[in-house]
Amino acid sequence: MPEPYVTLQRRAWAEKSNLTQIQLDVETLDRLRGLGDPTNQQDIAEVYRPLTQLLHLHMVNTGRLYRQSNDFLGLDVNRTPFVIGVAGSVAVGKSTVARLLQELLRRAPGNPRVDLITTDGFLFPNAELQRRGLLDRKGFPESYNRRALLQFVMDVKSGEPRVVAPVYSHLVYDIVDGEHIVVESPDILIVEGLNVLQPARVEADGRPGLAVSDFFDFTVYVDAEEQHIKTWFLERFFTLRSTAFNDPQSFFRRFADLSDAEATELAGQIWDTINGPNLRQNIAPTRERATAILVKGEDHTIESIRIRKV
């Protein structure tokens, strides 16, 4: 039965790598990798270089259509940023994917200016989550200021010369009061987050609303079996317990002194009550809305790539 995606196993996808000469040095790769992420130079050559080339093709042709449409309509307006959404579960590696794409696209022909924001900045502050009874549901769609996120992306896509986004600190586990990320007319904007592919909600008056993804030009979903993602989450928790959690300012400082058994139980509980349900209920159901799906195996390696053909 026909389906909207073409699936390429890694070897077939890697053959597309010869179409681009974009390179990434070892030092930069080390800087961009997330905690516990094993992405290496072979992954850059076989997976990310072809994806960068495909993204560049989409960007160039979107720009061509934009110019032709404006000529047809008699409009004289500047082109607005090409917006890429990157979605996936906690601990699946989507942040690494977003950072790698940002760096590689900066090295594409024309050296476009590429900005990256994460939707963490649009989480409600902890005090507001507490007031709404949502502190234990941080990361679920209702824990975000979706109106603010939607307005931010709309403003960027509408050509506003300067748009600001709030800043979230994983160290203090909260929005940083008074700090902002400034986005000033980049050529490309990457928006990374758990729920960026969520469909629109129906408004209180019964009218369909807008979704953030309505303003994306290309979307990537990082996919893996839940059992593998849970294992990666547990491994990351243990690494953080002996590193970042030891910082006196860390929200999670109290977890640094847990025994191995206590840490295993707590991390498993966090997954089973928060991250796992959020993945199954809200994140995974949006996978088929993506333009490209990167499918990972048990060892974090991307094994196949699904590209939407219609």
Side-chain angles (χ1 to χ4, degrees):
M1 180 178 177
E3 64 165 24
Y5 286 90
V6 57
T7 299
L8 295 174
Q9 297 304 311
R10 178 160 174 151
R11 178 174 296 181
W13 178 254
E15 292 176 358
K16 312 295 182 185
S17 182
N18 294 329
L19 299 176
T20 176
Q21 298 303 312
I22 299 172
Q23 303 287 348
L24 199 64
D25 57 89
V26 174
E27 291 77 13
T28 301
L29 176 56
D30 289 342
R31 174 174 55 85
L32 298 177
R33 270 195 306 243
L35 190 64
D37 192 300
T39 302
N40 55 33
Q41 287 287 358
Q42 185 174 358
D43 297 313
I44 297 300
E46 295 182 354
V47 175
Y48 291 99
R49 280 173 57 183
L51 182 57
T52 301
Q53 176 68 9
L54 180 62
L55 279 162
H56 187 258
L57 287 172
H58 274 257
M59 185 178 71
V60 168
N61 285 287
T62 297
R64 182 178 296 117
L65 177 60
Y66 187 87
R67 290 191 299 272
Q68 291 175 346
S69 295
N70 283 341
D71 288 343
F72 178 78
L73 296 171
L75 300 177
D76 183 17
V77 293
N78 292 328
R79 181 183 172 182
T80 58
F82 185 86
V83 182
I84 302 167
V86 179
S89 170
V90 167
V92 79
K94 65 184 180 302
S95 296
T96 295
V97 170
R99 289 191 294 265
L100 287 172
L101 289 178
Q102 179 187 28
E103 191 63 37
L104 288 165
L105 284 165
R106 284 172 171 169
R107 303 172 185 221
N111 300 115
R113 189 155 61 88
V114 188
D115 285 350
L116 167 64
I117 68 110
T118 71
T119 60
D120 291 342
F122 292 92
L123 285 161
F124 286 115
N126 286 351
E128 179 63 17
L129 291 173
Q130 184 73 49
R131 187 185 71 80
R132 297 183 181 215
L134 295 174
L135 195 56
D136 290 335
R137 291 178 66 81
K138 183 178 278 194
F140 282 70
E142 61 269 26
S143 67
Y144 292 87
N145 187 339
R146 286 178 283 190
R147 290 186 182 277
L149 175 57
L150 177 61
Q151 189 64 55
F152 171 84
V153 177
M154 286 176 60
D155 288 345
V156 169
K157 199 60 181 169
S158 298
E160 286 290 332
R162 185 178 189 275
V163 186
V164 297
V167 172
Y168 182 83
S169 167
H170 288 276
L171 180 66
V172 300
Y173 195 60
D174 205 353
I175 300 297
V176 181
D177 189 39
E179 288 193 22
H180 295 88
I181 296 172
V182 179
V183 174
E184 294 181 310
S185 303
D187 299 300
I188 302 171
L189 174 68
I190 300 174
V191 181
E192 176 255 307
L194 299 172
N195 296 296
V196 295
L197 292 177
Q198 284 287 313
R201 295 185 301 171
V202 177
E203 302 293 344
D205 59 6
R207 294 183 303 172
L210 289 171
V212 171
S213 58
D214 289 337
F215 299 92
F216 291 162
D217 297 290
F218 194 103
T219 52
V220 178
Y221 184 94
V222 187
D223 192 25
E225 296 290 336
E226 181 179 343
Q227 61 185 2
H228 302 328
I229 305 176
K230 180 177 180 179
T231 297
W232 303 336
F233 173 77
L234 296 178
E235 291 171 348
R236 187 174 72 177
F237 187 92
F238 266 74
T239 302
L240 289 170
R241 185 183 60 141
S242 60
T243 55
F245 290 177
N246 283 298
D247 190 312
Q249 294 184 329
S250 173
F251 178 85
F252 300 101
R253 176 64 186 85
R254 62 191 184 278
F255 299 154
D257 299 325
L258 294 176
S259 68
D260 287 353
E262 291 170 332
T264 299
E265 181 179 1
L266 176 60
Q269 181 182 4
I270 292 172
W271 182 269
D272 292 338
T273 60
I274 301 175
N275 295 330
N278 194 21
L279 170 60
R280 293 188 296 274
Q281 297 168 19
N282 302 303
I283 303 169
T286 69
R287 175 179 51 220
E288 306 301 321
R289 305 186 76 236
T291 315
I293 302 173
L294 308 182
V295 183
K296 288 189 169 187
E298 185 176 1
D299 62 353
H300 248 301
T301 299
I302 295 172
E303 297 181 340
S304 64
I305 295 87
R306 300 174 64 203
I307 303 295
R308 181 177 286 278
K309 59 184 179 182
V310 294

